[in-house]
């Protein structure tokens, strides 16, 4: 097993942030947001429920940022295989 925090990804404001995960991998990837330069990384939630956790391939818009200085990270826990990721706008 291997774990890593990848980032920061600094988004342009008011544009969707796309996450693509591909490859033959097992594990999980959490999309995290920070408003303090990475000192605190929080998971995305909707109505208090965790959102932004992936256990398979994806290609979707995951956030739309409006706060200057916010950054995003991937918390990757691989149990096996090889993961390819892309965060883009």
């Amino acid at each position: 097993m291997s774990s890593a925090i990848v980032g920061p990804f600094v988004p342009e404001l008011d544009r969707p942030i796309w996450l693509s995960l591909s490859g033959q991998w097992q594990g999980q990837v959490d999309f995290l947001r920070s408003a303090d330069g990475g000192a605190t990384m929080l998971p995305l939630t909707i109505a208090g429920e965790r959102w932004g956790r992936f256990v398979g391939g994806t290609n979707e818009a995951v956030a739309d940022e409006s706060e200057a200085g916010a950054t995003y990270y991937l918390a990757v826990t691989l149990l096996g295989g090889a993961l390819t990721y892309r965060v883009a706008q």
Side-chain angles (χ1 to χ4, degrees):
M1 177 171 76
S2 69
S3 298
I5 299 290
V6 181
F9 302 103
V10 181
E12 293 181 31
L13 298 182
D14 300 319
R15 292 187 55 207
I17 302 166
W18 283 82
L19 175 63
S20 299
L21 302 173
S22 60
Q24 299 296 319
W25 60 281
Q26 301 81 42
Q28 75 180 34
V29 176
D30 287 298
F31 196 69
L32 308 175
R33 181 182 183 274
S34 177
D36 60 8
T40 306
M41 294 178 224
L42 300 172
L44 301 182
T45 59
I46 293 177
E49 296 295 321
R50 183 183 275 272
W51 180 81
R53 174 172 282 170
F54 303 90
V55 296
T58 192
N59 183 37
E60 62 186 84
V62 291
D64 194 346
E65 186 56 59
S66 61
E67 182 179 350
T71 52
Y72 288 86
Y73 300 82
L74 297 178
V76 178
T77 302
L78 279 183
L79 302 176
L83 169 67
T84 300
Y85 65 87
R86 181 171 187 258
V87 179
Q89 289 186 294

